[in-house]
Amino acid sequence: MALAVLAGLALVWAIRQVLAWLVVAVFLAVALDPLVNRVQRRLVRRRAAATLVVFLAGFLVLAVLGVIVVAPLLNELARFADRAPEVLREARGGRGPIGQLLERFHLRRYAEAHAGQFQQLGGRVGHSTVALIRGTVQGVAGTLTVVVLTYLVVVQGPRITARTLTLAGSRAEQLRRIGRGSARAPSPAT
């Protein structure tokens, strides 16, 4: 029995990231369900289509926010990347705003004296870049997984609920009433 428990715990530990994604997807599905129900009642009769409408509207809102926030940020980063060699030359020569700050606080002499340590740090940054890229790929995969799982849980939500309630037997109707009451309860902020 102890070996089975240890094997079960090892399995949960091995798939902990997927379980976390599933929990996030279920949370988002619960949050989106009332909106999908409303769209299903008023606009589209099929649940999958209503869910798709809600998701597309959500992606549209995120895209607009991305254009408003991310596009200017990327433009500024591109401008900085274009000017970086010039700024670096000015800083090395003690000219420009950064060069003046380096001279004022004697940081240029410090940088020259510790050039070897900065090279070692640069080598470590290379290793950190690999970890950053790996983390980014995992983040994108996680986001896609959460979106797909959320969509599937929202679409299949009524079926999942009905099948789960059949397991409750005689208490199914009581649990259904509690669920409906919880869904209609006002939030604490209102």
Side-chain angles (χ1 to χ4, degrees):
M1 184 65 139
L3 189 59
V5 169
L6 285 174
L9 288 174
L11 177 66
V12 168
W13 182 257
I15 62 171
R16 68 188 181 279
Q17 186 68 53
V18 176
L19 291 175
W21 292 341
L22 183 61
V23 168
V24 170
V26 168
F27 176 78
L28 291 173
V30 168
L32 290 174
D33 190 57
L35 185 58
V36 170
N37 289 338
R38 193 171 299 140
V39 169
Q40 186 178 4
R41 278 193 308 268
R42 295 184 182 173
L43 297 175
V44 183
R45 296 290 174 224
R46 297 192 60 207
R47 186 156 182 90
T51 305
L52 185 61
V53 167
V54 169
F55 270 65
L56 290 176
F59 290 139
L60 181 65
V61 167
L62 289 175
V64 168
L65 287 175
V67 167
I68 291 172
V69 175
V70 175
L73 180 64
L74 290 177
N75 286 337
E76 289 300 317
L77 284 173
R79 281 183 44 206
F80 175 75
D82 288 341
R83 273 192 39 95
E86 178 186 337
V87 170
L88 188 58
R89 276 192 301 276
E90 288 177 353
R92 282 185 179 162
R95 297 179 311 275
I98 295 176
Q100 291 171 357
L101 281 173
L102 292 176
E103 287 295 324
R104 183 174 171 192
F105 293 109
H106 310 291
L107 293 174
R108 199 170 114 207
R109 279 182 272 168
Y110 179 83
E112 290 169 356
H114 296 88
Q117 292 174 344
F118 286 125
Q119 286 177 343
Q120 287 176 347
L121 180 64
R124 288 189 217 134
V125 168
H127 295 297
S128 298
T129 304
V130 171
L132 178 69
I133 291 171
R134 191 175 86 215
T136 302
V137 168
Q138 285 177 340
V140 168
T143 301
L144 289 175
T145 302
V146 167
V147 167
V148 169
L149 285 173
T150 302
Y151 181 82
L152 293 173
V153 171
V154 170
V155 169
Q156 297 297 323
R159 288 182 187 159
I160 293 170
T161 304
R163 292 224 170 103
T164 304
L165 287 176
T166 59
L167 297 174
S170 62
R171 293 187 174 252
E173 188 54 40
Q174 180 185 8
L175 291 172
R176 195 173 282 122
R177 278 196 316 269
I178 291 170
R180 279 191 217 115
S182 298
R184 284 192 299 257
S187 66
T190 58

